[in-house]
Amino acid sequence: MDSNSNPAQMTAVAMSGGVDSSAVAAILKERGSSVVGLTMQLWNQRRLPELDRDGSHGQRCCSMDDVYDAKRVAQHLGMPHYVVNYEQRFEETVVQPFVEEYLSGRTPVPCTMCNNHVKFDPLLVTARQIGADRLATGHYARIRHNEATGRYELLRALDGSKDQTYFLFGLKQEQMSRTDFPLGELDKSAVREIARRAALPVAEKPESQEICFVPSGNYVKFIAAYLGERGEELSREEGYLVTTSGEVIGRHHGVHNYTVGQRKGLGIAAGRPLYVVELDHAANRVIVGDDSELRTSVCEIQDVNWISFAVLDAPVRASIKIRHRHEPAAATIEPIDAGSARVVFDEPQRAITPGQAAVCYSGDVVFGGGWIR
């Protein structure tokens, strides 16, 4: 496995202030590695104060308290620690696209966008600038080098309940060649024990539960506040709720208030359960139907990143996850062009949602993935 760093090299640890990344720093120090901590400042938590429910900012990652905790851990372990400000890049590559995607009727995955554009791109550059050859993070995943193909491969974590490979499909070969995931072969209880044994000040810290820039978990409220800060107003243009057969059964107050698969909050009494089947942003319509109408067998993915091979030039069998908590489903992936592919599932899948990621697995190996269009 390539997850063990060479003690002769300096490794930068991406320290979020949580127990996982703090345990990574402790593990590497115990191995005798030369280690430096890097904590990313991504979002000014004082922005949009109207979203803060109780003054605590919830249990969000990347808060100022997390920065303080990361520094405390670094001091405890006797290692250098730096805070790097990526706020502008984070806003340009994660927050703004998140808002734009939602307003267009798609459902984005900000954690994947952050991994693709922030955590494994500028952070690796910063690590090299301070003399670190490698970057280690607290992700639950594994990396190995396949001698037969000459390519680095991404594998699920041994602890399937913590596996984070769904959010890592955008990793490039050069990034993987310099990245370590020391927690990939551990479960959470073992990581907690490592933190306790090292007497880390965050050993009992609870896990973050919310997206760092959406304190309440309410995307619509965040978008309204974000647009308001910029002097813009969230459109409240009404439109029609329409069945898949074209029957108008109600009105809505903005397509952005809905997601594919949603049942509650439709504001209609139809005498039977109805779900959002499709968001037609161009026509300003929310299309609803029965649960069976949520199930489809084919989708296309774009901006594909292949990991196990350089290009997909023929159909391949794989198991596909269309959401983080989705049970992988058997499918055939057919190439369309260099950046897109068609996924044909053996059995219809429920609520395939534009904007989400489709990640392709063969056993524990991640072939790659792309965004559902």
Side-chain angles (χ1 to χ4, degrees), residues 292-312:
S292 62
E293 294 175 289
L294 265 179
R295 301 176 187 274
T296 53
S297 298
V298 181
C299 69
E300 291 185 359
I301 55 177
Q302 62 190 19
D303 301 325
V304 174
N305 179 60
W306 298 119
I307 298 175
S308 295
F309 33 81
V311 64
L312 181 67

Side-chain angles (χ1 to χ4, degrees), residues 268-340:
I268 52 176
R272 69 185 194 279
L274 289 178
Y275 302 83
V276 175
V277 174
E278 182 184 346
L279 300 174
D280 186 345
H281 186 264
N284 194 28
R285 300 189 308 172
V286 175
I287 301 168
V288 299
D290 298 327
D291 181 78
S292 62
E293 294 175 289
L294 265 179
R295 301 176 187 274
T296 53
S297 298
V298 181
C299 69
E300 291 185 359
I301 55 177
Q302 62 190 19
D303 301 325
V304 174
N305 179 60
W306 298 119
I307 298 175
S308 295
F309 33 81
V311 64
L312 181 67
D313 53 12
V316 65
R317 294 287 293 169
S319 296
I320 314 293
K321 289 183 72 166
I322 56 173
R323 285 178 295 278
H324 175 43
R325 297 299 183 190
H326 177 244
E327 185 67 29
T332 299
I333 314 168
E334 304 169 348
I336 296 176
D337 53 40
S340 59

Side-chain angles (χ1 to χ4, degrees), residues 79 110 128 172 204 231 255 277 291 295 325 339 350 367:
M79 54 185 280
R128 181 167 280 166
K172 308 296 185 184
E204 308 303 331
V255 173
V277 174
D291 181 78
R295 301 176 187 274
R325 297 299 183 190
R350 189 178 189 276
F367 279 164

Side-chain angles (χ1 to χ4, degrees), residues 152-154 171-179 307:
Y152 286 89
E153 295 179 329
L154 179 67
L171 284 174
K172 308 296 185 184
Q173 287 293 300
E174 197 277 334
Q175 294 169 338
M176 294 174 69
S177 72
R178 297 178 52 213
T179 298
I307 298 175

Side-chain angles (χ1 to χ4, degrees), residues 60-172:
R60 286 187 277 172
C61 65
C62 308
S63 70
M64 289 306 298
D65 288 342
D66 291 325
V67 173
Y68 173 70
D69 285 342
K71 190 166 288 294
R72 283 201 302 156
V73 170
Q75 290 173 342
H76 176 76
L77 294 174
M79 54 185 280
H81 176 258
Y82 303 97
V83 178
V84 290
N85 191 320
Y86 292 151
E87 284 188 30
Q88 182 176 349
R89 184 183 183 96
F90 182 75
E91 182 154 7
E92 291 174 352
T93 62
V94 179
V95 180
Q96 290 178 4
F98 171 87
V99 171
E100 292 165 1
E101 286 277 273
Y102 237 95
L103 292 179
S104 70
R106 294 163 64 84
T107 307
V109 188
C111 292
T112 300
M113 296 158 69
C114 184
N115 285 334
N116 288 356
H117 301 297
V118 183
K119 289 183 180 175
F120 293 96
D121 193 356
L123 198 59
L124 274 164
V125 173
T126 299
R128 181 167 280 166
Q129 288 172 341
I130 63 173
D133 303 285
R134 306 189 63 76
L135 175 70
T137 80
H139 287 97
Y140 286 83
R142 294 178 289 162
I143 293 174
R144 74 180 178 195
H145 188 258
N146 186 320
E147 298 294 339
T149 64
R151 296 183 68 83
Y152 286 89
E153 295 179 329
L154 179 67
L155 287 81
R156 297 181 206 256
L158 289 190
D159 183 350
S161 67
K162 297 297 296 180
D163 177 64
Q164 291 173 296
T165 51
Y166 178 81
F167 302 109
L168 296 168
F169 75 84
L171 284 174
K172 308 296 185 184

Side-chain angles (χ1 to χ4, degrees), residues 218-281:
N218 188 316
Y219 296 164
V220 175
K221 284 186 177 180
F222 169 79
I223 292 169
Y226 183 78
L227 292 177
E229 182 188 59
R230 299 168 60 165
E232 304 173 30
E233 189 173 342
L234 184 60
S235 172
R236 303 189 185 281
E237 180 185 0
E238 290 191 353
Y240 292 115
L241 285 165
V242 184
T243 66
T244 50
S245 62
E247 178 188 358
V248 175
I249 59 172
R251 298 184 69 85
H252 68 74
H253 299 283
V255 173
H256 55 269
N257 288 297
Y258 302 86
T259 57
V260 173
Q262 178 179 335
R263 175 183 174 185
K264 295 181 179 179
L266 299 185
I268 52 176
R272 69 185 194 279
L274 289 178
Y275 302 83
V276 175
V277 174
E278 182 184 346
L279 300 174
D280 186 345
H281 186 264

Side-chain angles (χ1 to χ4, degrees), residues 180-211:
D180 298 317
F181 296 139
L183 306 187
E185 300 190 17
L186 303 174
D187 61 27
K188 187 70 178 193
S189 61
V191 172
R192 287 279 184 195
E193 188 53 40
I194 289 169
R196 293 181 185 119
R197 193 170 64 241
L200 299 183
V202 297
E204 308 303 331
K205 184 176 179 178
E207 294 187 73
S208 59
Q209 301 295 325
E210 297 176 339
I211 298 171

